[in-house]
Amino acid sequence: MTGTFNRQVYDVVRRIPRGTVATYGQVAALAGRPRAARFVGFALHANPEPGVIPCHRVVFRDGSLAPGFAFGGPDEQRRLLEAEGVAFVPPDDGSENAGAGGWRVDLDRCQWRA
C-alpha cells in the first residue's frame, strides 16, 4: 500500500505548476487519501527523483516550509521557490508556524488551484 500511495503522491506533485505550491493536505486529497498529509511528507522525504519530482513545491497548510526539507533544508526550499517567482509573506505576530519559522508562502497568490 505504501508503494502505491507514494507513486500517487509523486504523480500529483509532478503536476504542480512552476511558480505555485500545494499543501501536504492538498496533495494527500488529490492522491485519494485526504487524511494522510503526514504520509505525504514521508513519501517526499524518500523522493526517488529530486529535481524531477518537485517536492520543494509542497508546503504546510499555513504556507510555512518544512524544517526537515530533505534536499538542503528550508533555506534551500525557499531559494528554489523564490527562483520560480513564489511570493512570501512575513509570519503573523504571536503565531507559530506549522513548519519552519519565518516567512511563509503567500498561499492566496501562489497556491495551486487543482
Side-chain angles (χ1 to χ4, degrees):
M1 181 71 166
T2 300
T4 300
F5 178 69
N6 285 8
R7 281 192 298 277
Q8 291 168 323
V9 166
Y10 302 145
D11 289 343
V12 170
V13 173
R14 279 186 182 99
R15 296 187 344 240
I16 302 170
R18 181 178 175 81
T20 65
V21 299
T23 66
Y24 289 97
Q26 182 180 3
V27 171
L30 291 169
R33 303 232 352 242
R35 298 183 57 104
R38 181 176 302 256
F39 294 99
V40 169
F42 294 147
L44 295 179
H45 194 75
N47 183 348
E49 299 179 89
V52 175
I53 300 169
C55 58
H56 66 281
R57 295 181 186 150
V58 182
V59 299
F60 285 97
R61 69 182 172 273
D62 65 353
S64 59
L65 304 181
F69 181 65
F71 306 100
D75 291 338
E76 178 63 8
Q77 184 179 12
R78 182 171 177 176
R79 187 192 68 73
L80 291 167
L81 291 171
E82 286 179 329
E84 294 182 3
V86 171
F88 283 77
V89 295
D92 296 330
D93 288 340
S95 68
E96 291 292 320
N97 285 348
W103 289 56
R104 300 171 287 115
V105 169
D106 185 345
L107 292 177
D108 290 336
R109 290 179 48 198
C110 299
Q111 186 169 7
W112 180 36
R113 308 293 180 208

